[in-house]
Amino acid sequence: MTNMDDKEEKEETQVENEETHGVTGDQTQIPNGTAMEPATHEDSKETDHIKDADDDKINKEQLDINANEGPSIEKGHEKVDAGDEKRVPQENVNMQEEGQGDQDSKQQGDQQQTSEGDTKNREQLENEKNIKNVEETNKDASAIINVEIKEKPKQSAEEVRHIDNDTKKSHHKVHRSKPTPVEKDSSFVKEVKREAKRVEDRLNPNRSHPSKPKKVKKGIFVSYSPDAGFLERKFVVETVRQLKENNLAEDIWFDKDEKNTDNPCWFSQRMEAVEKCRAAVLILSDSYFMCPVSVYEGKALLERQMVDASSVKVDLVLFSSLEETEIPRQYNHLLRTMVDLTAGIHAKKSLAEKTSVVIGSLMEDLEKYAVINSPPVPYTPPEHDFNGEYKKKKICQWSVGDLQEWLFKLGIKEFYRQSLAEGMVDGFLLMSVTDQDMIHHLGIESRVVRKKIMQQILLTLDKEHKQPDNWHLRARTQKSKSNSVYLVYDPADVRLAQNLKADLLKKGLQVIHHQKLGQSKEEFLQLNGPSIATATYVLVILTDSATNSPFVFHEVLFSDWLGKKIVTAMFHNIWHSLRPALKAVLGECPSVDFETKLYGESMDVLEHYIKPLRSVPGVVLEQAYLNKMADGLKPLGILANSTSPTEYTSDEAEPRVFISYQWDMQSKVEDIKRLLEANSFLCWADISPTMTQRGHSSMSTRSGHSHVDSSETLQSQIQRNMKAAAVVLCCITPKYMQSDNCVKDLTLAETLHKPIVPVMLRFCPWPPEGAPSQVRKIFVRLPSPPIDLSNEKLFKQNIHVVVERIRKVIVVPK
């Protein structure tokens, strides 16, 4: 019975509530206009009670806020201290008005029944009032605080609903309100955000946005030969290390520390550092003057000094005595301050003592060009914990610890590993270690251990060679296509390049050029480097646009690093505005004059150089045509500085080089002749194929400038020109040894007491076994063996030795 009575009482209470509040339909309308879900009979009383409690709680909080001097206002997810006297009262008033508006609406809802249309109108008026109050508040607050606004300012209504929901959750009766649609930020709101952000940055200067640090240019460049041996490399590494310990850690540019020795842009990055440095230290040796990279660096530095003597300070360090080369005369003005480690008491000093001598001699000068002056870099001993990190690196990037772990994995005993660790041998030095170095400098006497280490180095390098990022190493060994030309030009000259390409295609040549530019120099070379590797010749178009073009710069240096035959088409004489690095590389390259000569004649010269007509069977060329072709091709440095066509005509007092060679090697002989002429040595070499009765060429007119009497016999021409020559350059091949004319030329040279400089264009045993006895005796009496130019690599490496040996013979007459 008790349950029935309770049920009847609840039903009566529900009827009274419906009559009092004017409920119609299925939904109960809250004064703020939010539609609630249908309420049950059991929840009616409880909902009214909760609403009354919420209103009391809101009014109490507003009174507490007004009583405090510095309240905290909740804005979204950010709590902001409101210390401004003008702003805080306004916000409190707004909150009171909003609370009061809600309370009035509540009371009106309790007193009378309102329609749904009237409720919506009242809501709209209240919201407009709230928005206006919030906007006025934000205008004052935006000057000192950062308010993150994400939707239209309806914060008071949202807070009421939020408190209502929390209260309902506490009574385990959750009634979710429908979400208010979020509108896009107005222009006013965006402006408030930007202004608040600027004010916050001004008030909080320590909170700076992360930015990429600006890279400081390193002003001291260390130039050394990449082909240097172990001992010389170790000297360079120790010298750099001690310089860095003397507060020059961030001023020294050393490619090993830049970690770019395995980069395809390595050569161009070195030359860029040469052009930007304020001081340079050159470690001189025979290897330095035989390696093209270091030779180019020296030339670029001297070119900079020639233009402006104060642009760069150059210090020379002679590490080892020069036996095969000598210091070029362009360095004479620097010899007075050179640190010579090969003479006097320095010659017998150890490597560490020599390093100290260099540091003591150069440190005072180099400090003047240091701008960073960073403190000494603390030495970090190699880690003894083997973690396999060396497997993720290339050999040239291995540290001392990586090398020790690699040796440990190979099963090398600790005694031998310790000897390499004491010598601070890392991957950079390991690349230059030879069997003799391990015996004399590292104390590894075990032949088995040495052999094992050398074999594993080769295997590791072979694996690295196959990695995708080592495409440039594979490109260097790639076989080029015959009669193929790669065009190097600036994108601004694309129309000129297309016209030149069309004319070359008509002549039966394969022409390729860059297709994509990429986003960086590394990507540019990766996209176009393989195409350069397939070409036999590289044709550089020189115009005003090519002067400072990064595309021309990187393609030319990469082509030279690949060992390609570079020829320039000079449409404008830009020699004096070229970058020093390009002058060093292109100065001795053959060039065709398109600026002052007729276009058709220049194209004929270019075609004859790339695709000689003498290779066509059955074609007999006239001497006048050959002389014209030879006259149109000159080294760029000489062509750019020439003032008249007769510059090459020389008097009898000027030194000459008589070149004796076999006809089948004429192409390589022409390269030698061109390089010697670029170094001011006028040569005499036959370029006419009509003298086939000699079997080889032992004399010729010079580039068409010699007027030979037609009645003069061939033998008299040989005698006259060899007598005028200062030295005889003998180009040795197996066929040359078997030629009768070889005997005649060498016998005549010995009779006239002419010094003979032998070069080997094709390999043959020395002394030559199959040569005539008279020739064999002459070769045995020569003071030095022939200079090996038998392949492209040796030719590029040793051609400077030929130049220096000829210069030594001419300067010091025998």
Side-chain angles (χ1 to χ4, degrees):
M1 292 295 294
T2 304
N3 293 335
M4 293 294 294
D5 295 339
D6 293 341
K7 186 175 181 180
E8 291 177 357
E9 291 178 1
K10 289 182 179 180
E11 291 177 353
E12 294 175 357
T13 304
Q14 182 178 358
V15 172
E16 292 177 357
N17 290 336
E18 291 177 354
E19 294 176 354
T20 303
H21 296 287
V23 177
T24 60
D26 296 333
Q27 293 183 337
T28 302
Q29 296 291 332
I30 294 178
N32 60 8
T34 304
M36 303 298 294
E37 296 182 9
T40 61
H41 297 292
E42 298 178 358
D43 296 336
S44 301
K45 290 183 179 181
E46 188 175 359
T47 303
D48 294 336
H49 174 72
I50 292 172
K51 290 179 181 177
D52 293 337
D54 292 343
D55 293 336
D56 294 338
K57 184 176 181 181
I58 293 171
N59 293 332
K60 184 177 181 181
E61 288 179 355
Q62 291 174 349
L63 293 175
D64 293 339
I65 291 173
N66 291 331
N68 295 331
E69 183 177 356
S72 297
I73 303 172
E74 293 293 330
K75 299 268 183 171
H77 298 289
E78 190 171 346
K79 187 175 183 180
V80 183
D81 291 336
D84 192 301
E85 295 180 1
K86 295 181 180 180
R87 178 176 57 80
V88 174
Q90 182 66 32
E91 292 182 354
N92 291 334
V93 170
N94 294 339
M95 295 180 64
Q96 291 175 0
E97 290 177 356
E98 293 166 2
Q100 186 66 32
D102 293 339
Q103 188 175 6
D104 293 343
S105 299
K106 178 81 165 59
Q107 293 174 356
Q108 292 175 6
D110 295 335
Q111 294 175 0
Q112 61 183 1
Q113 180 178 3
T114 59
S115 63
E116 183 174 346
D118 295 338
T119 303
K120 291 183 179 180
N121 292 334
R122 184 167 60 254
E123 274 184 344
Q124 184 175 1
L125 292 175
E126 290 177 359
N127 290 338
E128 290 178 356
K129 182 178 179 182
N130 291 338
I131 291 172
K132 183 177 181 181
N133 292 335
V134 172
E135 288 179 351
E136 292 177 356
T137 303
N138 287 336
K139 289 181 180 178
D140 295 333
S142 62
I144 58 175
I145 62 174
N146 180 23
V147 182
E148 184 177 0
I149 302 175
K150 296 185 178 179
E151 59 180 67
K152 287 285 186 180
K154 294 183 181 179
Q155 292 182 331
S156 60
E158 292 292 339
E159 288 176 356
V160 171
R161 286 195 294 272
H162 179 67
I163 296 171
D164 189 25
N165 289 336
D166 290 344
T167 308
K168 292 177 181 180
K169 287 180 181 179
S170 63
H171 290 80
H172 307 287
K173 298 291 183 179
V174 180
H175 300 281
R176 296 182 179 273
S177 61
K178 293 183 179 180
T180 304
V182 178
E183 301 181 10
K184 294 184 179 180
D185 293 342
S186 63
S187 59
F188 165 76
V189 174
K190 294 179 180 179
E191 183 63 26
V192 169
K193 288 182 179 181
R194 288 194 293 267
E195 183 62 27
K197 185 65 176 175
R198 288 193 291 268
V199 172
E200 184 184 12
D201 292 340
R202 186 170 64 252
L203 296 177
N204 300 293
N206 294 331
R207 198 181 104 176
S208 58
H209 299 285
S211 58
K212 188 177 180 179
K214 186 177 180 181
K215 189 175 181 179
V216 182
K217 296 180 180 179
K218 300 183 177 182
I220 303 175
F221 180 78
V222 178
S223 178
Y224 72 100
S225 170
D227 297 336
F230 172 76
L231 206 60
E232 185 176 346
R233 275 200 176 197
K234 185 172 176 59
F235 170 77
V236 175
V237 171
E238 287 298 317
T239 301
V240 171
R241 184 179 63 82
Q242 291 196 26
L243 287 174
K244 290 190 173 186
E245 289 178 353
N246 284 274
N247 292 0
L248 298 180
E250 298 299 328
D251 287 284
I252 298 291
W253 198 100
F254 181 42
D255 62 348
K256 172 183 178 292
D257 297 334
E258 298 298 320
K259 301 186 185 302
N260 63 357
T261 53
D262 60 332
N263 194 307
C265 298
W266 164 77
F267 184 24
S268 58
Q269 287 177 358
R270 280 185 66 143
M271 297 304 293
E272 284 178 332
V274 167
E275 293 179 338
K276 297 175 182 178
C277 67
R278 296 178 298 276
V281 180
L282 278 60
I283 312 298
L284 306 183
S285 63
D286 275 329
S287 177
Y288 189 90
F289 294 112
M290 294 168 62
C291 177
V293 174
S294 51
V295 169
Y296 292 150
E297 290 173 356
K299 287 183 177 181
L301 291 169
L302 293 175
E303 178 67 25
R304 288 184 59 190
Q305 281 196 330
M306 187 182 302
V307 176
D308 183 4
S310 61
S311 62
V312 61
K313 176 69 167 61
V314 179
D315 292 312
L316 304 181
V317 177
L318 183 60
F319 173 73
S320 60
S321 57
L322 304 180
E323 298 178 356
E324 299 183 3
T325 61
E326 64 178 15
I327 300 177
R329 57 177 178 268
Q330 290 86 351
Y331 291 84
N332 288 345
H333 66 287
L334 302 173
L335 297 181
R336 184 175 57 85
T337 58
M338 181 178 68
V339 181
D340 190 356
L341 301 178
T342 63
I345 59 175
H346 298 328
K348 298 182 179 179
K349 290 183 177 180
S350 64
L351 190 68
E353 291 173 332
K354 290 181 178 180
T355 305
S356 300
V357 170
V358 173
I359 299 301
S361 303
L362 302 182
M363 194 62 207
E364 185 176 352
D365 286 340
L366 294 179
E367 284 179 341
K368 301 175 184 178
Y369 300 92
V371 295
I372 305 177
N373 285 320
S374 61
V377 179
Y379 170 70
T380 55
E383 299 178 356
H384 295 287
D385 297 335
F386 295 156
N387 51 18
E389 285 296 323
Y390 76 96
K391 297 179 181 179
K392 304 176 184 178
K393 305 176 184 177
K394 298 178 181 178
I395 287 186
C396 59
Q397 298 175 350
W398 283 357
S399 64
V400 177
D402 294 332
L403 179 59
Q404 290 295 307
E405 183 176 358
W406 179 71
L407 294 172
F408 176 79
K409 297 294 184 181
L410 293 181
I412 305 300
K413 294 182 179 179
E414 184 178 0
F415 173 78
Y416 299 113
R417 299 201 310 268
Q418 189 66 25
S419 63
L420 273 76
E422 291 175 354
M424 298 296 293
V425 179
D426 55 8
F428 179 77
L429 294 178
L430 185 68
M431 298 284 288
S432 61
V433 168
T434 63
D435 191 74
Q436 294 299 316
D437 292 327
M438 284 191 282
I439 296 175
H440 300 294
H441 306 305
L442 299 176
I444 302 179
E445 298 180 354
S446 173
R447 180 175 175 274
V448 176
V449 174
R450 297 197 308 271
K451 184 177 180 180
K452 185 175 184 179
I453 293 176
M454 296 301 295
Q455 287 179 345
Q456 292 300 320
I457 291 175
L458 296 176
L459 289 174
T460 306
L461 290 175
D462 185 61
K463 292 180 181 178
E464 291 182 358
H465 191 271
K466 299 177 182 178
Q467 294 180 2
D469 57 343
N470 281 336
W471 61 268
H472 57 291
L473 300 179
R474 296 189 295 273
R476 201 173 189 182
T477 58
Q478 184 176 350
K479 186 177 180 181
S480 58
K481 301 177 182 178
S482 59
N483 297 330
S484 57
V485 181
Y486 184 91
L487 287 182
V488 174
Y489 62 93
D490 185 77
D493 298 324
V494 61
R495 182 169 297 179
L496 174 62
Q498 292 296 336
N499 294 335
L500 190 62
K501 175 183 177 180
D503 293 334
L504 291 173
L505 289 174
K506 292 178 182 178
K507 296 182 179 295
L509 299 173
Q510 301 180 32
V511 183
I512 50 180
H513 53 82
H514 62 250
Q515 299 294 334
K516 298 180 181 180
L517 301 182
Q519 301 295 326
S520 63
K521 56 188 176 184
E522 289 83 3
E523 185 179 357
F524 174 68
L525 287 182
Q526 187 172 3
L527 291 172
N528 304 290
S531 299
I532 300 176
T534 61
T536 304
Y537 296 90
V538 173
L539 177 61
V540 184
I541 299 177
L542 295 182
T543 63
D544 294 332
S545 302
T547 304
N548 296 311
S549 172
F551 307 103
V552 174
F553 179 81
H554 291 292
E555 282 187 314
V556 167
L557 294 186
F558 188 71
S559 300
D560 186 85
W561 182 77
L562 290 177
K564 300 300 177 181
K565 296 179 180 180
I566 301 177
V567 59
T568 60
M570 191 178 73
F571 285 90
H572 292 92
N573 190 349
I574 58 172
W575 174 257
H576 297 290
S577 58
L578 271 180
R579 298 173 61 169
L582 289 180
K583 283 186 177 181
V585 176
L586 298 177
E588 297 180 359
C589 293
S591 179
V592 181
D593 186 5
F594 280 84
E595 184 179 28
T596 61
K597 304 292 184 181
L598 295 176
Y599 181 81
E601 294 180 359
S602 299
M603 284 299 298
D604 291 339
V605 173
L606 183 61
E607 180 189 10
H608 180 74
Y609 175 74
I610 298 175
K611 188 179 179 181
L613 295 178
R614 64 171 178 269
S615 62
V616 180
V619 177
V620 179
L621 304 177
E622 295 182 359
Q623 184 66 42
Y625 175 80
L626 294 173
N627 292 342
K628 183 180 180 181
M629 295 298 102
D631 184 46
L633 202 68
K634 299 176 183 177
L636 177 61
I638 296 177
L639 178 63
N641 294 317
S642 62
T643 56
S644 65
T646 59
E647 181 182 350
Y648 276 102
T649 58
S650 59
D651 52 13
E652 293 295 325
E654 191 171 359
R656 291 175 176 270
V657 179
F658 186 100
I659 303 179
S660 177
Y661 70 101
Q662 173 69 15
W663 178 252
D664 62 341
M665 298 303 295
Q666 181 172 354
S667 176
K668 187 167 288 189
V669 169
E670 286 180 349
D671 293 338
I672 297 173
K673 174 173 169 283
R674 190 164 44 251
L675 290 172
L676 292 177
E677 288 174 351
N679 286 273
S680 304
F681 298 122
L682 298 183
C683 302
W684 228 65
D686 180 33
I687 57 173
S688 172
T690 58
M691 299 181 184
T692 54
Q693 65 271 18
R694 263 187 60 82
H696 80 292
S697 174
S698 60
M699 57 78 57
S700 79
T701 58
R702 255 218 91 267
S703 302
H705 294 295
S706 177
H707 303 282
V708 181
D709 187 2
S710 59
S711 61
E712 186 179 15
T713 62
L714 178 61
Q715 192 61 33
S716 62
Q717 292 180 27
I718 296 173
Q719 294 178 1
R720 179 175 59 82
N721 289 285
M722 186 176 289
K723 186 176 181 180
V727 62
V728 175
L729 185 66
C730 180
C731 301
I732 301 173
T733 63
K735 289 185 178 181
Y736 178 78
M737 291 295 187
Q738 302 298 325
S739 173
D740 294 336
N741 299 288
C742 167
V743 179
K744 294 178 182 179
D745 288 347
L746 294 180
T747 303
L748 180 60
E750 190 175 43
T751 303
L752 296 174
H753 303 286
K754 299 295 180 181
I756 299 174
V757 176
V759 294
M760 187 177 295
L761 300 188
R762 283 185 179 171
F763 178 78
C764 57
W766 191 262
E769 299 177 354
S773 59
Q774 189 175 358
V775 174
R776 186 180 177 87
K777 291 178 182 179
I778 294 174
F779 282 145
V780 170
R781 289 196 294 266
L782 293 178
S784 58
I787 303 170
D788 193 358
L789 307 177
S790 57
N791 56 48
E792 290 296 332
K793 182 178 180 181
L794 292 174
F795 184 91
K796 201 171 187 65
Q797 178 177 332
N798 296 333
I799 188 62
H800 300 283
V801 181
V802 178
V803 174
E804 295 302 324
R805 190 169 296 181
I806 291 176
R807 179 178 289 115
K808 189 180 297 185
V809 171
I810 293 177
V811 172
V812 185
K814 300 297 181 182

